Amino acid sequence: MSDNGPVQTRCPVLNVRRVDAYYAITVVAPGIAERFRSGQFVSVAVGGDHSSTLLRRPFAIHDVKPDYGGTVEFLFAVRGSGTAWLAERRSRDLLDVVGPLGRPFPLPRDPVNCVLVGGGSGSAPLFPLAQSLRRRGCRVDFVLGGASADRVFSAITARRIAETAAFTTDDGSFGTRGRVTDVLGRVIEESRSDAVYACGPMPMLRAVTAVAGNHGIPVQVAVEETMACGIGICMTCVIPVVGEDGITRMVRSCVDGPVFRGEQVRFDDVGTIPFDALGAPGWKGSSAARAAESARDIA
Amino acid sequence: MSDNGPVQTRCPVLNVRRVDAYYAITVVAPGIAERFRSGQFVSVAVGGDHSSTLLRRPFAIHDVKPDYGGTVEFLFAVRGSGTAWLAERRSRDLLDVVGPLGRPFPLPRDPVNCVLVGGGSGSAPLFPLAQSLRRRGCRVDFVLGGASADRVFSAITARRIAETAAFTTDDGSFGTRGRVTDVLGRVIEESRSDAVYACGPMPMLRAVTAVAGNHGIPVQVAVEETMACGIGICMTCVIPVVGEDGITRMVRSCVDGPVFRGEQVRFDDVGTIPFDALGAPGWKGSSAARAAESARDIA
Amino acid sequence: MNADLRTRLGSLRLPNPVVTAAGCAGSGRELEQFFDIAEIGAVTTKSLMLEPRAGRPAPRMAETPSGMLSTTGMQGPGIDVFLQRDLPWLLSRGGRAIVSIAGAGVGEFGELARRVSEAEGVGAIEVNLSCPNPADPAGRRFADDAAQAATVVQTVRSHARSDLPVLAKLSADVPDVVELAGACVTARADGLTMINTLRGMSVDTRTLRPAVAGGMGGLSGPAIRPLAVGCVYRVHEAFPEVPIIGVGGVRTGTDVLEFMAAGASAVGVGTVNFSDPSACTRVLREFNEALDARGVSRASEVVGAAHRAGTGV
Amino acid sequence: MNADLRTRLGSLRLPNPVVTAAGCAGSGRELEQFFDIAEIGAVTTKSLMLEPRAGRPAPRMAETPSGMLSTTGMQGPGIDVFLQRDLPWLLSRGGRAIVSIAGAGVGEFGELARRVSEAEGVGAIEVNLSCPNPADPAGRRFADDAAQAATVVQTVRSHARSDLPVLAKLSADVPDVVELAGACVTARADGLTMINTLRGMSVDTRTLRPAVAGGMGGLSGPAIRPLAVGCVYRVHEAFPEVPIIGVGGVRTGTDVLEFMAAGASAVGVGTVNFSDPSACTRVLREFNEALDARGVSRASEVVGAAHRAGTGV
Ligand SMILES: Cc1cc2nc3c(=O)[nH]c(=O)nc-3n(C[C@H](O)[C@H](O)[C@H](O)COP(=O)(O)OP(=O)(O)OC[C@H]3O[C@@H](n4cnc5c(N)ncnc54)[C@H](O)[C@@H]3O)c2cc1C
Ligand SMILES: Cc1cc2nc3c(=O)[nH]c(=O)nc-3n(C[C@H](O)[C@H](O)[C@H](O)COP(=O)(O)OP(=O)(O)OC[C@H]3O[C@@H](n4cnc5c(N)ncnc54)[C@H](O)[C@@H]3O)c2cc1C
Ligand SMILES: Cc1cc2nc3c(=O)[nH]c(=O)nc-3n(C[C@H](O)[C@H](O)[C@H](O)COP(=O)(O)O)c2cc1C
Ligand SMILES: Cc1cc2nc3c(=O)[nH]c(=O)nc-3n(C[C@H](O)[C@H](O)[C@H](O)COP(=O)(O)O)c2cc1C
Ligand code: FES
Ligand code: FES
């Protein structure tokens, strides 16, 4: 049992707020709050003790506060049975929450200019990131998108904490009609961004990575893959990622991610096992690759 | 679809009260209230829409009132997951309730003396029965038993509405230490009872039937068999019962019961298929028995 | 609610694909208290035997996660009582009947088929292959031996009126469900119904004794749905022309969609009738809404969609 | 918490009967964040192959009622990396390891057994018979053919160090699980683990396409528990001397009681680790409490209780 790893707690709901088309739940969870770094997420058991819904639901942590020893907030849209159940929680109900999970966003050493790009619920983890970056003296600009106005999470907060905030919606009901990548290039140029952080659906992350590449700046992406366990034991959340050693591995987005360097994610091959991935059918690894494997994770 | 058969309704909870070791829930269910006759029960879905608990829980109807168009009350003890969930309901929650189910207690034509015997939660259906009997001018005496004081349902109400009320508990914490049948003979004699009504666990019903037999008076028993459907389609609730024609059949306690004439229930053979039951292995029915079968239930 | 819901199982035409699963709808009368029995595709009867049958001792059921274990031992009144008492009632209400039969041996299956064929108004015969084969030395079920199952189907086919579709009801816990299906099709089954309950067990942890009398019971309910959908998918892949009734854990309208996409032409509601007596009509309404929401105008378009590339419809 | 919880699987002695199920506990490190890994009976590893393995494409999982469908394709680092990297870590924490192996053919099973035997500190070998047999013309799994399964077990037995217990891991969706168990016992398996996931399928009702890549997946979780308990019961009845690890849908301490009453000497927690990372230690505590509540002083007394008349213990 480790001290900075995730904890599992049954924590009381402080409040559930409805905001446009989404909900914000705050729970009292000091153990999670004190360990939290931006980009990390929680996983929440849904449906109660006798639920037929077995698996936890992952949500990015949107905010932590010191109240009551430490609170954690996450935002969610109702998608299916799990989020519908969560939306019905009331204060003082208990939630079984595990967190903080996953690798956080790496923060720049220097006060550089960062543009933060979020799609739909993917905006959520960008807000604590923005705070951390601001604390380091970074300039922060936001580009947030969604299907429609009410699917753009926390637009007001974005305006408040960022230098600039641009919005896009598929239906044009808010901000520019179109995709986040339709405005991203302009924002990068105008804000002289040095780095991009993005979170949202895979196609968006791919497009954002391409834009950042065109501008020659690094990009960190946080993926939202389907996850059964969130703690690295089920192997259902894998995506192909190229390691520092040039070898592609099927890595777990819950513990090896959810944050990756955009250039290292093989977006074109998500949903496949690339032929040159370590252990792919027909793959014959060099003994060097194997030795590297055996050394990994020892530390 | 019939007018006097059961209905299925999503009905609001009016209130949940804790009484000693049990709970009383009242729901607003006019359709059930207006059809109700004493001895009938409801079946309640538990655990919510995404529950892993598939089956309904049956509960005797304890009271109906005209308020709000018609309310239905049932009492229950927390036994397992279903009753634990029910105990957590709050007013305005919705419950999916089917009822009224089963054959009611037959009522005597004349104002005779009746003793009502209940064990544990089996007391519940006797209260509306007592009211009906009183309305017909019958004398009503109660014998209620339970494992301990807090397992005797509605003792105060029993005292109020009956001529006399005797109580027994296994541990002697309330009334006489012992079983209901330890005092039943005396009550029958003192109250000059003409008939017995009983509800509770199978061994109790068997003993009560024996006592009534010894006193030469008829007994109506309401059984509490495990039920999957409560409406007669699953065939899991069967017990061996001798028909008017002398033939033993495996009958459904949910629709052919829960009320039976005590003498007709083959208590010794509950949990078996008696060799002479209709359709038992090796059974060779007469053509007369078959003709009778084919005529049953047509009406 | 505009989609054309009609479906076909061989020569049997149904107004919509929602039927009751065998043994899970009583005589039809009990459910008629909750909805109009003529509204659904058909009522599948419990499996009827030649003689009345008392079934197994109690306890007959135990609840399991998202399912139940049961062992009723095919209690029933026998075929004649059904044909004289229950069938006319069902037809008088405008319902359609799929009559499930269970023979105590191959010969009885033939006799049952003959008697059912003499009755007026039966829609199809379903052959329950999950009953024990008295001639099997190891006491296995007909379904456990594809050749034995084929003999039963062939016998039923040859004794049944030629215009009456014969459906073979398969179990999933057999050596090879695709082989079993193939043997039944070769024996001229007009369609397949799958799946029956799976053999399982539950222990009462108070007494530490088996929770249902006799130890083993049949597992049913939503818990088994993925196993049922898997069987339908694999069998439809192997025999795309053979109509299938998908059965196993259907609870909602999207479950119907799931079974049909896997290859079913109709879908049976079983255990969920116990927990929701209005289930059949609710499921039908939800299915209808699900088609509307997807802009599908004919239910039959969905059949086998999961086998096709792209989004299916 | 006074009961003696010790249990034995052949020559392997465990402090208590709660182990992790193969492939459901990572390397042990991940769960160590939530409880002390030395506290539970043992960690069963994912099935290791000779070479590193990338597994199957995503989507790899779908949720089902009280269960899940998964298809990871045995992604893993290969046996050598495990023995050099993960095993020493586990032993250093005081944990016990049951090493699951999966050969791409009979020969590989032998080689895997040899390599595992050379390592220090392994508690037992579990032979995953649910992997496809490359030599089978129909692409079936070893478990589908009792003779093939026996060959694998025999090969492992003869390559494994003689003091290392060999457990055969069985599937339930095979022609006859009792026959399969018998073949493995005859081939000198020291114990049996059952059950593995069952082949099932789920359709994504938005896209009408299979919910996991490749169509079929493995069903696990509480939904399948009655099927697992049924297998344990039947196999224990046939081979009462053979120790069994019961696996399938264990969620609570009373589930452990259920499996042990059916005949298991130990019980594996699988899918429920995903939904509750503290599950193993919670289940162990609840089991302990359940024994206390029943006044049982030795867990081993419960083994097979459901087969005995009366209340078992
Ligand atoms: C690391 C991470 C962080 C996330 N953060 C947020 C957030 O901050 N706010 C938010 O609204 N949503 C977030 N999501 C998506 C969120 O987990 C899903 O919306 C939620 O699981 C849906 O559950 P449901 O029961 O309502 O839907 P259902 O569709 O009924 O869920 C069925 C299954 O699919 C999975 N699933 C469904 N949708 C998604 C999805 N988009 N991504 C991953 N798994 C999914 C569920 O976990 C479940 O196992 C995040 C996902 C991940 C992986
Ligand atoms: C006709 C009828 C009327 C009843 N009336 C009352 C009543 O008025 N008050 C009351 O407290 N109880 C009553 N019972 C018993 C009540 O149904 C059970 O206490 C309840 O189902 C327990 O559910 P659970 O989920 O808490 O228990 P669990 O033990 O978790 O239930 C598991 C399964 O066993 C069944 N079951 C458990 N105990 C019983 C039992 N004693 N009788 C029948 N089935 C059982 C459940 O329905 C369920 O299917 C009645 C039973 C019947 C058949
Ligand atoms: C109580 C009960 C009785 C059943 N009786 C029969 C039967 O007589 N004949 C038959 O073919 N199947 C019978 N079945 C199986 C169902 O028809 C169905 O195949 C199975 O239960 C799976 O569907 P479900 O999960 O929707 O219940 C019965 C199932 C149950 C639960
Ligand atoms: C994601 C996942 C991976 C698994 N990997 C393996 C494996 O590598 N080897 C094996 O023998 N069983 C494997 N299993 C099967 C489990 O060990 C177990 O037998 C099965 O899941 C039933 O138990 P459960 O219901 O507790 O999960 C795996 C199961 C799951 C869900
Ligand atoms: S979600 Fe289980 S390993 Fe990532
Ligand atoms: S409970 Fe289903 S028939 Fe009685």
Side-chain angles (χ1 to χ4, degrees), chain B residues 234 236, chain C residues 21-24 45-47 68 70 72 74 100 126 128 169 195-197 219-222 224 247-250 268-272 274:
Chain B
C234 76
T236 63
Chain C
C24 300
T45 68
K46 72 179 79 183
S47 293
M68 72 179 277
S70 65
T72 56
M74 283 187 287
S100 172
E126 189 173 276
N128 182 351
K169 172 107 178 245
I195 60 176
N196 217 307
T197 58
L219 183 65
S220 64
I224 69 167
V247 181
V250 172
V269 180
T271 300
V272 167
F274 306 161

mmCIF file of all heavy atoms in Angstrom, chain B residues 234 236, chain C residues 21-24 45-47 68 70 72 74 100 126 128 169 195-197 219-222 224 247-250 268-272 274, ligand 3:
data_model
loop_
_atom_site.group_PDB
_atom_site.id
_atom_site.type_symbol
_atom_site.label_atom_id
_atom_site.label_comp_id
_atom_site.label_asym_id
_atom_site.label_seq_id
_atom_site.Cartn_x
_atom_site.Cartn_y
_atom_site.Cartn_z
ATOM 1 N N CYS B 234 -45.196 -18.681 -13.387
ATOM 2 C CA CYS B 234 -43.854 -19.272 -13.295
ATOM 3 C C CYS B 234 -43.836 -20.672 -12.685
ATOM 4 O O CYS B 234 -42.870 -21.403 -12.822
ATOM 5 C CB CYS B 234 -42.905 -18.355 -12.524
ATOM 6 S SG CYS B 234 -43.162 -18.371 -10.735
ATOM 7 N N THR B 236 -43.409 -21.694 -9.693
ATOM 8 C CA THR B 236 -42.369 -21.982 -8.699
ATOM 9 C C THR B 236 -42.930 -22.032 -7.280
ATOM 10 O O THR B 236 -42.214 -22.388 -6.361
ATOM 11 C CB THR B 236 -41.245 -20.916 -8.729
ATOM 12 O OG1 THR B 236 -41.787 -19.659 -8.369
ATOM 13 C CG2 THR B 236 -40.587 -20.848 -10.086
ATOM 14 N N ALA C 21 -41.616 -16.363 -24.229
ATOM 15 C CA ALA C 21 -40.764 -17.555 -24.230
ATOM 16 C C ALA C 21 -41.528 -18.706 -23.581
ATOM 17 O O ALA C 21 -42.371 -18.484 -22.705
ATOM 18 C CB ALA C 21 -39.476 -17.272 -23.451
ATOM 19 N N ALA C 22 -41.210 -19.911 -24.021
ATOM 20 C CA ALA C 22 -41.927 -21.087 -23.527
ATOM 21 C C ALA C 22 -41.869 -21.165 -22.008
ATOM 22 O O ALA C 22 -40.811 -20.966 -21.403
ATOM 23 C CB ALA C 22 -41.337 -22.349 -24.142
ATOM 24 N N GLY C 23 -43.001 -21.485 -21.406
ATOM 25 C CA GLY C 23 -43.040 -21.699 -19.964
ATOM 26 C C GLY C 23 -42.990 -20.437 -19.142
ATOM 27 O O GLY C 23 -42.860 -20.503 -17.920
ATOM 28 N N CYS C 24 -43.090 -19.292 -19.776
ATOM 29 C CA CYS C 24 -42.967 -18.037 -19.037
ATOM 30 C C CYS C 24 -44.188 -17.142 -19.217
ATOM 31 O O CYS C 24 -44.115 -15.934 -18.996
ATOM 32 C CB CYS C 24 -41.705 -17.288 -19.460
ATOM 33 S SG CYS C 24 -40.198 -18.227 -19.158
ATOM 34 N N THR C 45 -46.357 -21.517 -25.652
ATOM 35 C CA THR C 45 -46.879 -22.214 -24.476
ATOM 36 C C THR C 45 -45.733 -22.796 -23.667
ATOM 37 O O THR C 45 -44.604 -22.888 -24.137
ATOM 38 C CB THR C 45 -47.791 -23.376 -24.879
ATOM 39 O OG1 THR C 45 -46.974 -24.388 -25.505
ATOM 40 C CG2 THR C 45 -48.858 -22.921 -25.853
ATOM 41 N N LYS C 46 -46.052 -23.224 -22.445
ATOM 42 C CA LYS C 46 -45.065 -24.044 -21.747
ATOM 43 C C LYS C 46 -44.921 -25.333 -22.538
ATOM 44 O O LYS C 46 -45.773 -25.675 -23.367
ATOM 45 C CB LYS C 46 -45.503 -24.312 -20.314
ATOM 46 C CG LYS C 46 -46.670 -25.274 -20.186
ATOM 47 C CD LYS C 46 -47.002 -25.499 -18.729
ATOM 48 C CE LYS C 46 -47.801 -24.325 -18.185
ATOM 49 N NZ LYS C 46 -48.133 -24.349 -16.805
ATOM 50 N N SER C 47 -43.852 -26.080 -22.325
ATOM 51 C CA SER C 47 -43.679 -27.319 -23.061
ATOM 52 C C SER C 47 -44.693 -28.334 -22.566
ATOM 53 O O SER C 47 -44.704 -28.676 -21.383
ATOM 54 C CB SER C 47 -42.267 -27.867 -22.880
ATOM 55 O OG SER C 47 -41.350 -27.001 -23.490
ATOM 56 N N MET C 68 -32.322 -15.751 -12.477
ATOM 57 C CA MET C 68 -32.890 -16.671 -11.495
ATOM 58 C C MET C 68 -32.601 -18.098 -11.931
ATOM 59 O O MET C 68 -32.297 -18.374 -13.089
ATOM 60 C CB MET C 68 -34.405 -16.469 -11.359
ATOM 61 C CG MET C 68 -35.203 -16.950 -12.536
ATOM 62 S SD MET C 68 -36.996 -16.709 -12.332
ATOM 63 C CE MET C 68 -37.466 -18.136 -11.372
ATOM 64 N N SER C 70 -34.257 -21.883 -11.811
ATOM 65 C CA SER C 70 -35.554 -22.507 -11.576
ATOM 66 C C SER C 70 -35.536 -23.962 -11.997
ATOM 67 O O SER C 70 -34.681 -24.387 -12.777
ATOM 68 C CB SER C 70 -36.654 -21.764 -12.337
ATOM 69 O OG SER C 70 -36.441 -21.886 -13.721
ATOM 70 N N THR C 72 -38.874 -26.268 -12.611
ATOM 71 C CA THR C 72 -40.294 -26.564 -12.452
ATOM 72 C C THR C 72 -40.601 -27.976 -12.927
ATOM 73 O O THR C 72 -41.679 -28.492 -12.642
ATOM 74 C CB THR C 72 -41.158 -25.563 -13.244
ATOM 75 O OG1 THR C 72 -40.737 -25.595 -14.607
ATOM 76 C CG2 THR C 72 -40.978 -24.159 -12.709
ATOM 77 N N MET C 74 -41.252 -29.027 -15.829
ATOM 78 C CA MET C 74 -42.312 -29.014 -16.840
ATOM 79 C C MET C 74 -43.676 -29.420 -16.318
ATOM 80 O O MET C 74 -44.416 -30.153 -16.967
ATOM 81 C CB MET C 74 -41.896 -29.860 -18.034
ATOM 82 C CG MET C 74 -40.900 -29.064 -18.865
ATOM 83 S SD MET C 74 -40.471 -29.826 -20.391
ATOM 84 C CE MET C 74 -39.456 -31.151 -19.823
ATOM 85 N N SER C 100 -45.277 -25.385 -27.677
ATOM 86 C CA SER C 100 -44.025 -26.069 -27.358
ATOM 87 C C SER C 100 -44.356 -27.483 -26.899
ATOM 88 O O SER C 100 -45.256 -27.692 -26.089
ATOM 89 C CB SER C 100 -43.292 -25.315 -26.251
ATOM 90 O OG SER C 100 -42.178 -26.069 -25.808
ATOM 91 N N GLU C 126 -43.026 -25.715 -31.445
ATOM 92 C CA GLU C 126 -41.642 -25.554 -30.994
ATOM 93 C C GLU C 126 -41.242 -26.844 -30.284
ATOM 94 O O GLU C 126 -41.961 -27.320 -29.404
ATOM 95 C CB GLU C 126 -41.549 -24.363 -30.037
ATOM 96 C CG GLU C 126 -40.127 -23.994 -29.684
ATOM 97 C CD GLU C 126 -40.072 -22.701 -28.869
ATOM 98 O OE1 GLU C 126 -40.078 -21.610 -29.481
ATOM 99 O OE2 GLU C 126 -40.012 -22.774 -27.629
ATOM 100 N N ASN C 128 -38.992 -28.734 -27.819
ATOM 101 C CA ASN C 128 -38.072 -28.507 -26.697
ATOM 102 C C ASN C 128 -37.059 -29.652 -26.628
ATOM 103 O O ASN C 128 -37.378 -30.754 -26.172
ATOM 104 C CB ASN C 128 -38.873 -28.410 -25.393
ATOM 105 C CG ASN C 128 -37.986 -28.124 -24.197
ATOM 106 O OD1 ASN C 128 -36.761 -28.159 -24.306
ATOM 107 N ND2 ASN C 128 -38.594 -27.838 -23.069
ATOM 108 N N LYS C 169 -36.027 -25.841 -30.471
ATOM 109 C CA LYS C 169 -35.533 -24.984 -29.376
ATOM 110 C C LYS C 169 -34.237 -25.573 -28.847
ATOM 111 O O LYS C 169 -34.200 -26.695 -28.345
ATOM 112 C CB LYS C 169 -36.586 -24.926 -28.265
ATOM 113 C CG LYS C 169 -36.118 -24.241 -26.993
ATOM 114 C CD LYS C 169 -36.723 -22.889 -26.798
ATOM 115 C CE LYS C 169 -36.295 -22.233 -25.512
ATOM 116 N NZ LYS C 169 -37.395 -22.033 -24.571
ATOM 117 N N ILE C 195 -32.013 -19.167 -26.647
ATOM 118 C CA ILE C 195 -31.555 -20.379 -25.988
ATOM 119 C C ILE C 195 -32.507 -20.741 -24.849
ATOM 120 O O ILE C 195 -33.269 -19.891 -24.380
ATOM 121 C CB ILE C 195 -30.123 -20.190 -25.409
ATOM 122 C CG1 ILE C 195 -30.109 -19.053 -24.383
ATOM 123 C CG2 ILE C 195 -29.156 -19.919 -26.514
ATOM 124 C CD1 ILE C 195 -28.766 -18.857 -23.681
ATOM 125 N N ASN C 196 -32.413 -21.971 -24.402
ATOM 126 C CA ASN C 196 -33.111 -22.412 -23.207
ATOM 127 C C ASN C 196 -32.289 -21.993 -21.985
ATOM 128 O O ASN C 196 -31.229 -21.374 -22.137
ATOM 129 C CB ASN C 196 -33.290 -23.930 -23.242
ATOM 130 C CG ASN C 196 -34.625 -24.358 -22.649
ATOM 131 O OD1 ASN C 196 -34.933 -23.970 -21.531
ATOM 132 N ND2 ASN C 196 -35.387 -25.137 -23.374
ATOM 133 N N THR C 197 -32.743 -22.333 -20.807
ATOM 134 C CA THR C 197 -31.958 -22.024 -19.599
ATOM 135 C C THR C 197 -30.658 -22.829 -19.587
ATOM 136 O O THR C 197 -30.554 -23.860 -20.242
ATOM 137 C CB THR C 197 -32.773 -22.386 -18.338
ATOM 138 O OG1 THR C 197 -33.110 -23.774 -18.405
ATOM 139 C CG2 THR C 197 -34.050 -21.582 -18.255
ATOM 140 N N LEU C 219 -30.621 -21.606 -15.351
ATOM 141 C CA LEU C 219 -30.363 -20.170 -15.198
ATOM 142 C C LEU C 219 -31.020 -19.402 -16.342
ATOM 143 O O LEU C 219 -30.855 -19.753 -17.514
ATOM 144 C CB LEU C 219 -28.857 -19.904 -15.176
ATOM 145 C CG LEU C 219 -28.441 -18.446 -14.957
ATOM 146 C CD1 LEU C 219 -28.859 -17.947 -13.569
ATOM 147 C CD2 LEU C 219 -26.933 -18.274 -15.137
ATOM 148 N N SER C 220 -31.733 -18.331 -15.990
ATOM 149 C CA SER C 220 -32.392 -17.492 -16.995
ATOM 150 C C SER C 220 -32.301 -16.043 -16.571
ATOM 151 O O SER C 220 -31.819 -15.739 -15.489
ATOM 152 C CB SER C 220 -33.857 -17.914 -17.129
ATOM 153 O OG SER C 220 -34.545 -17.671 -15.915
ATOM 154 N N GLY C 221 -32.765 -15.173 -17.427
ATOM 155 C CA GLY C 221 -32.782 -13.749 -17.099
ATOM 156 C C GLY C 221 -31.672 -12.971 -17.797
ATOM 157 O O GLY C 221 -30.839 -13.546 -18.497
ATOM 158 N N PRO C 222 -31.656 -11.635 -17.598
ATOM 159 C CA PRO C 222 -30.682 -10.777 -18.284
ATOM 160 C C PRO C 222 -29.233 -11.253 -18.162
ATOM 161 O O PRO C 222 -28.427 -11.019 -19.062
ATOM 162 C CB PRO C 222 -30.892 -9.423 -17.604
ATOM 163 C CG PRO C 222 -32.352 -9.433 -17.246
ATOM 164 C CD PRO C 222 -32.652 -10.845 -16.842
ATOM 165 N N ILE C 224 -27.941 -13.999 -18.690
ATOM 166 C CA ILE C 224 -27.514 -14.908 -19.770
ATOM 167 C C ILE C 224 -27.625 -14.284 -21.157
ATOM 168 O O ILE C 224 -27.306 -14.933 -22.158
ATOM 169 C CB ILE C 224 -28.301 -16.242 -19.748
ATOM 170 C CG1 ILE C 224 -29.774 -16.030 -20.135
ATOM 171 C CG2 ILE C 224 -28.223 -16.924 -18.377
ATOM 172 C CD1 ILE C 224 -30.523 -17.342 -20.439
ATOM 173 N N VAL C 247 -33.999 -15.796 -27.658
ATOM 174 C CA VAL C 247 -34.560 -15.824 -26.302
ATOM 175 C C VAL C 247 -33.425 -15.829 -25.293
ATOM 176 O O VAL C 247 -32.434 -16.550 -25.462
ATOM 177 C CB VAL C 247 -35.410 -17.096 -26.079
ATOM 178 C CG1 VAL C 247 -36.004 -17.103 -24.672
ATOM 179 C CG2 VAL C 247 -36.497 -17.231 -27.119
ATOM 180 N N GLY C 248 -33.570 -15.069 -24.248
ATOM 181 C CA GLY C 248 -32.573 -15.083 -23.186
ATOM 182 C C GLY C 248 -32.369 -13.686 -22.628
ATOM 183 O O GLY C 248 -31.641 -12.883 -23.196
ATOM 184 N N GLY C 249 -33.043 -13.392 -21.532
ATOM 185 C CA GLY C 249 -32.773 -12.146 -20.832
ATOM 186 C C GLY C 249 -33.295 -10.895 -21.478
ATOM 187 O O GLY C 249 -32.845 -9.795 -21.144
ATOM 188 N N VAL C 250 -34.265 -11.012 -22.374
ATOM 189 C CA VAL C 250 -34.804 -9.792 -22.992
ATOM 190 C C VAL C 250 -35.541 -8.983 -21.935
ATOM 191 O O VAL C 250 -36.401 -9.511 -21.237
ATOM 192 C CB VAL C 250 -35.770 -10.127 -24.145
ATOM 193 C CG1 VAL C 250 -36.468 -8.869 -24.648
ATOM 194 C CG2 VAL C 250 -35.010 -10.807 -25.273
ATOM 195 N N GLY C 268 -38.120 -13.701 -27.917
ATOM 196 C CA GLY C 268 -39.002 -14.171 -26.850
ATOM 197 C C GLY C 268 -38.685 -13.533 -25.520
ATOM 198 O O GLY C 268 -37.519 -13.405 -25.148
ATOM 199 N N VAL C 269 -39.729 -13.133 -24.800
ATOM 200 C CA VAL C 269 -39.567 -12.571 -23.455
ATOM 201 C C VAL C 269 -39.910 -13.662 -22.445
ATOM 202 O O VAL C 269 -41.011 -14.213 -22.490
ATOM 203 C CB VAL C 269 -40.496 -11.358 -23.246
ATOM 204 C CG1 VAL C 269 -40.316 -10.775 -21.842
ATOM 205 C CG2 VAL C 269 -40.231 -10.309 -24.315
ATOM 206 N N GLY C 270 -38.981 -13.982 -21.556
ATOM 207 C CA GLY C 270 -39.183 -15.063 -20.605
ATOM 208 C C GLY C 270 -39.269 -14.565 -19.175
ATOM 209 O O GLY C 270 -40.286 -14.003 -18.748
ATOM 210 N N THR C 271 -38.174 -14.727 -18.461
ATOM 211 C CA THR C 271 -38.119 -14.417 -17.039
ATOM 212 C C THR C 271 -38.617 -13.017 -16.704
ATOM 213 O O THR C 271 -39.191 -12.799 -15.631
ATOM 214 C CB THR C 271 -36.664 -14.584 -16.556
ATOM 215 O OG1 THR C 271 -36.284 -15.941 -16.799
ATOM 216 C CG2 THR C 271 -36.534 -14.304 -15.075
ATOM 217 N N VAL C 272 -38.383 -12.074 -17.608
ATOM 218 C CA VAL C 272 -38.763 -10.691 -17.296
ATOM 219 C C VAL C 272 -40.281 -10.531 -17.175
ATOM 220 O O VAL C 272 -40.755 -9.603 -16.518
ATOM 221 C CB VAL C 272 -38.085 -9.717 -18.287
ATOM 222 C CG1 VAL C 272 -38.682 -8.326 -18.205
ATOM 223 C CG2 VAL C 272 -36.582 -9.669 -18.000
ATOM 224 N N PHE C 274 -41.930 -12.349 -15.310
ATOM 225 C CA PHE C 274 -42.173 -12.570 -13.877
ATOM 226 C C PHE C 274 -41.967 -11.282 -13.104
ATOM 227 O O PHE C 274 -42.676 -11.007 -12.141
ATOM 228 C CB PHE C 274 -41.220 -13.642 -13.319
ATOM 229 C CG PHE C 274 -41.240 -14.955 -14.055
ATOM 230 C CD1 PHE C 274 -40.190 -15.855 -13.926
ATOM 231 C CD2 PHE C 274 -42.296 -15.298 -14.896
ATOM 232 C CE1 PHE C 274 -40.203 -17.065 -14.594
ATOM 233 C CE2 PHE C 274 -42.319 -16.509 -15.576
ATOM 234 C CZ PHE C 274 -41.261 -17.392 -15.426
HETATM 235 C C1 LIG E 3 -39.808 -20.970 -14.885
HETATM 236 C C2 LIG E 3 -39.374 -21.269 -16.276
HETATM 237 C C3 LIG E 3 -40.036 -22.243 -17.008
HETATM 238 C C4 LIG E 3 -39.617 -22.548 -18.303
HETATM 239 N N1 LIG E 3 -40.297 -23.523 -19.011
HETATM 240 C C5 LIG E 3 -39.879 -23.830 -20.271
HETATM 241 C C6 LIG E 3 -40.557 -24.807 -21.025
HETATM 242 O O1 LIG E 3 -41.542 -25.411 -20.596
HETATM 243 N N2 LIG E 3 -40.094 -25.111 -22.270
HETATM 244 C C7 LIG E 3 -39.001 -24.473 -22.805
HETATM 245 O O2 LIG E 3 -38.633 -24.753 -23.948
HETATM 246 N N3 LIG E 3 -38.365 -23.509 -22.124
HETATM 247 C C8 LIG E 3 -38.767 -23.187 -20.863
HETATM 248 N N4 LIG E 3 -38.110 -22.210 -20.171
HETATM 249 C C9 LIG E 3 -36.997 -21.522 -20.804
HETATM 250 C C10 LIG E 3 -37.438 -20.176 -21.409
HETATM 251 O O3 LIG E 3 -38.365 -20.369 -22.450
HETATM 252 C C11 LIG E 3 -36.245 -19.416 -21.966
HETATM 253 O O4 LIG E 3 -35.677 -20.177 -23.019
HETATM 254 C C12 LIG E 3 -35.158 -19.140 -20.939
HETATM 255 O O5 LIG E 3 -35.728 -18.884 -19.681
HETATM 256 C C13 LIG E 3 -34.279 -17.954 -21.325
HETATM 257 O O6 LIG E 3 -35.031 -16.801 -21.518
HETATM 258 P P1 LIG E 3 -35.236 -15.675 -20.375
HETATM 259 O O7 LIG E 3 -33.888 -15.328 -19.875
HETATM 260 O O8 LIG E 3 -35.933 -14.549 -21.054
HETATM 261 O O9 LIG E 3 -36.083 -16.301 -19.317
HETATM 262 C C14 LIG E 3 -38.519 -21.876 -18.875
HETATM 263 C C15 LIG E 3 -37.872 -20.893 -18.134
HETATM 264 C C16 LIG E 3 -38.274 -20.580 -16.855
HETATM 265 C C17 LIG E 3 -37.512 -19.521 -16.102
#
